[in-house]
Amino acid sequence: MDKVALITGSTSGIGLGIAKRLAQAGHSVILNGLATPTLNETISEVKTLGKGEVLFSDADMSQPDQIEAMMRMIEKQFGRLDVIVNNAGIQHVAPIDEFPIAAWDKIIAINLSSAFHISRLAIPMMKKNGWGRIINIASAHALIASPFKSAYVAAKHGVAGLTKTIALEVAQHNITCNAICPGYVLTPLVEGQIAATAKARGISEEQVINDVMLGEQPTKEFVKIEEVAELVYYLCADAAASITGTCLPIDGGWTAH
Ligand code: NAD
């Protein structure tokens, strides 16, 4: 049966890549995120990839009431929700003693709390259907830390804990919950932190790319969006029914150090 999948933060980067892969697989997809100048083209492009429906919600993942409204819309439209990919995320790079409180609160809300809200609202629908997949796009920073990313690292470690807890609670309902932990993927989020990291570390932007980012990854290559999307697709398959409660690195060997 064709499934219904919600991917948060899917107007660009990794989330958009995942939405495209799941649309190709025949799923109906709900795109979400901040509107971009090319939003209409993006929605049309995802529609052409498969035979499922494509909807867009601009719900702000830092606002629980907007998340609830989006979930009610999905239930009304489809009467089911089979796959959720909690992917929306933002970053702020600064030393802890200069870290803006507003940036801390926003990162915790979008990168961690939205996964809690979406999961708590989706699980009853999944239980009703006796099947579900919860996939949290965490980060290598769910497993290890880097300086100047206190909120991001704290939120992503929180996602790892949330993933394990949900997996235990839903294990007997044919629902799995896993976290994917990518290393550096060249997306707008990463492009946007190169200058800030250069400033925080007092080095050039080129050094940030080669020494800080790719310096961490033994392959010396960025992880590709398509590689993350393919892992999501696999976790959605029935063959992955016994994979649950895991934090799966896809990081060119970074966390093997
Ligand atoms: P991106 O900036 O390209 O995409 C982020 C998405 O989140 C966009 O669609 C944006 O509109 C959406 N978003 C931002 N704020 C939102 C809000 N308040 N409400 C709803 N949507 C919002 O970034 P990306 O690199 O594709 O990151 C996607 C996820 O992957 C994030 O959770 C990020 O932490 C994680 N990740 C990225 C990397 C990387 O190197 N790029 C590595 C590990 C993990």
Side-chain angles (χ1 to χ4, degrees), residues 12 43 46 57 65 73 106 126 154 187 196 200 202 204 241:
S12 80
I43 296 171
V46 177
S57 161
D65 56 336
M73 180 274 284
K106 206 170 169 193
M126 292 175 171
T187 65
S204 72

Side-chain angles (χ1 to χ4, degrees), residues 91-100 147-151 196-197 200:
Q91 174 64 286
H92 188 88
V93 180
I96 183 110
D97 50 346
E98 294 171 18
F99 211 92
F148 313 119
K149 297 183 176 177
S150 52
T197 303

Side-chain angles (χ1 to χ4, degrees), residues 239-255:
S242 298
I243 303 177
T244 196
T246 69
C247 297
L248 296 164
I250 173 165
D251 63 3
W254 177 4
T255 53

Side-chain angles (χ1 to χ4, degrees), residues 116-200:
F116 158 70
H117 291 298
I118 297 215
S119 301
R120 74 180 171 80
L121 295 164
I123 284 170
M125 285 189 260
M126 292 175 171
K127 280 184 176 168
K128 207 168 81 188
N129 289 328
W131 196 95
R133 294 287 187 264
I134 300 169
I135 300 166
N136 297 321
I137 305 302
S139 166
H141 284 120
L143 306 169
I144 52 167
S146 294
F148 313 119
K149 297 183 176 177
S150 52
Y152 188 86
V153 171
K156 295 296 187 181
H157 275 65
V159 168
L162 179 68
T163 300
K164 293 176 194 175
T165 307
I166 292 175
L168 297 180
E169 291 188 23
V170 298
Q172 292 180 30
H173 294 273
N174 222 2
I175 303 169
T176 67
C177 180
N178 292 286
I180 294 179
C181 302
Y184 284 102
V185 187
L186 199 54
T187 65
L189 180 138
V190 163
E191 284 162 10
Q193 65 185 272
I194 292 172
T197 303
K199 185 166 171 257

Side-chain angles (χ1 to χ4, degrees), residues 7-18 32-36 56-63 66-67 86-91 106 109-111 114 136-141 152 156 180-191 193 213 217 222-223 225 228 250 254:
I7 306 100
T8 69
S10 47
T11 52
S12 80
I14 295 171
L16 179 56
I18 294 167
N32 157 260
L34 308 178
T36 60
F56 170 71
S57 161
D58 66 356
D60 183 335
M61 290 300 108
S62 69
Q63 304 298 321
Q66 293 191 30
I67 294 175
N86 290 309
N87 168 80
I90 58 168
Q91 174 64 286
K106 206 170 169 193
I110 296 171
N111 295 20
S114 75
N136 297 321
I137 305 302
S139 166
H141 284 120
Y152 188 86
K156 295 296 187 181
I180 294 179
C181 302
Y184 284 102
V185 187
L186 199 54
T187 65
L189 180 138
V190 163
E191 284 162 10
Q193 65 185 272
M213 295 178 170
Q217 294 189 180
F222 283 103
V223 177
I225 290 173
V228 180
I250 173 165
W254 177 4

